[in-house]
Amino acid sequence: MRPRLIAIVGATATGKTALAITLAEQVGGEIVNADSRQVYRGMDIGTAKPTRAEQARVRHWLIDAFDPDQPCSLAAFLDLAHAALDDIWSRGKLPIVTGGTGQYIWALLEAWQVPRVPPDPAMRAALEEQLALEGPAPLLAELGRIDPANARVIDARNMRRVIRAIEVTRLTGRPFGDWGGKGEAAFDARIIGLRLERAALHVRVDARVDAMIAGGLIAEVRALNAAGFGCDLRSMSSIGYRQLCAHLRGELTLAEAVAVIKTETHRLVRMQHTWFGDDDPRIAWLDASAPGLVERAVTVAARMG
């Protein structure tokens, strides 16, 4: 039989972590994190990372896998995730993949072909300097010359991705857009989606943000800065950290920072809905607020061949 896994997807604050832990306890599972920020050590409160007590209930993988100044590329995530899956399957356990980063989830489940090309710091620094001095037009023009197909579809506002596309194309001699294909996964997956009515979800989000502030998120940001992880790091550009960095610099009041965090998280929720569509037939959607959620999730998981 092909190995199997369960994936639990959905927007922020729908209860994915709680369901994954309880489900894992019931079916003999272990959890593989697919949240692009929970991979970072020291970024606990602002990423809604499972608590130490929650992690003690069920084994978690890809939590605290990197320091905040270490980039976690999609390729790095996939390599670590596949190693975790193989280990879990080798011991007769059932992997439960969960997180709100749609790119990570689908890249794993759909076997995306991702270039294993590590960043070239010197090249990237030069491209970023060119961007700062000349603006985006020259870099977009270069991408149009060396990878015209990708240049037509890439989000021109996402200059980080434009720079990465140029970097990979220069280093491999192969257009970055050629790497976007999908393979065939070597496992069977059952995808459970959690959804909640939008207004109710926003209430949950706002309550979570307030709880993060009350729980010490400002102190967490200060501690990260004191440990040498500055606000200029890509990891620290995450929602919550970016706004509180601005607050600590005196650019925003605390009330203003909290309001922006809530607004940006609402925007993230909308983005996550585009990754995990209600009409996607691969996803078994469950109402996150309905009673008997765990029992229904167990029933869905049991339908796997």
Side-chain angles (χ1 to χ4, degrees):
M1 292 178 59
R2 282 160 55 93
R4 304 182 302 162
L5 65 79
I6 297 170
I8 300 176
V9 304
T12 293
T14 50
K16 297 185 297 297
T17 295
L19 176 60
I21 292 171
T22 304
L23 185 60
E25 290 175 326
Q26 295 206 9
V27 302
E30 295 182 4
I31 295 172
V32 179
N33 166 55
D35 182 290
S36 65
R37 291 302 181 254
Q38 290 183 1
V39 300
Y40 292 113
R41 300 181 188 97
M43 299 179 65
D44 302 332
I45 299 171
T47 65
K49 190 179 293 180
T51 65
R52 296 302 177 193
E54 289 173 325
Q55 293 183 49
R57 290 169 57 188
V58 173
R59 185 172 182 179
H60 285 67
W61 296 77
L62 275 69
I63 295 282
D64 296 338
F66 297 89
D67 285 328
D69 59 352
Q70 295 176 296
C72 177
S73 66
L74 179 57
F77 163 77
L78 289 173
D79 289 342
L80 290 173
H82 282 295
L85 294 177
D86 288 341
D87 189 295
I88 296 167
W89 284 322
S90 74
R91 291 178 286 106
K93 298 286 188 176
L94 179 65
I96 299 177
V97 178
T98 190
T101 304
Q103 183 189 47
Y104 280 17
I105 293 283
W106 290 124
L108 181 63
L109 299 185
E110 296 179 336
W112 289 10
Q113 305 303 298
V114 178
R116 266 56 176 179
V117 180
D120 183 313
M123 182 187 299
R124 184 166 294 186
L127 290 169
E128 290 173 347
E129 182 179 6
Q130 182 181 2
L131 174 64
L133 293 174
E134 303 175 17
L139 295 181
L140 291 170
E142 178 177 353
L143 185 63
R145 290 192 301 273
I146 64 178
D147 188 0
N150 191 31
R152 286 194 293 270
V153 298
I154 201 168
D155 182 355
R157 298 168 298 180
N158 189 344
M159 291 306 297
R160 181 178 292 144
R161 186 161 179 79
V162 171
I163 287 173
R164 177 60 175 164
I166 293 172
E167 180 184 48
V168 171
T169 302
R170 285 183 181 178
L171 291 172
T172 66
R174 177 180 173 186
F176 184 72
D178 288 358
W179 293 95
K182 301 174 183 178
E184 181 179 352
F187 51 79
D188 295 324
R190 189 69 171 135
I191 309 173
I192 297 171
L194 295 184
R195 60 184 169 195
L196 198 64
E197 190 271 328
R198 187 67 60 88
L201 183 54
H202 284 182
V203 170
R204 279 198 190 184
V205 164
D206 292 350
R208 173 184 278 189
V209 173
D210 291 336
M212 288 175 173
I213 298 298
L217 181 54
I218 298 173
E220 180 170 282
V221 174
R222 286 196 176 106
L224 287 162
N225 290 164
F229 303 118
C231 290
D232 58 329
L233 292 174
R234 180 177 177 181
S235 60
M236 295 291 283
S237 70
S238 306
I239 298 173
Y241 297 92
R242 180 173 67 251
Q243 292 79 17
L244 289 181
C245 279
H247 166 62
L248 293 175
R249 291 193 299 266
E251 299 169 5
L252 294 173
T253 67
L254 179 57
E256 290 169 338
V258 170
V260 175
I261 293 170
K262 291 177 179 179
T263 298
E264 289 297 312
T265 308
H266 296 172
R267 184 175 293 121
L268 172 63
V269 165
R270 292 194 294 273
M271 185 183 304
Q272 288 169 324
H273 276 104
T274 65
W275 278 106
F276 308 118
D278 287 345
D279 58 350
D280 191 324
R282 297 171 295 180
I283 303 175
W285 286 103
L286 302 177
D287 183 346
S289 64
L293 176 61
V294 174
E295 291 76 11
R296 286 180 290 123
V298 169
T299 299
V300 171
R303 293 177 190 155
M304 296 178 66

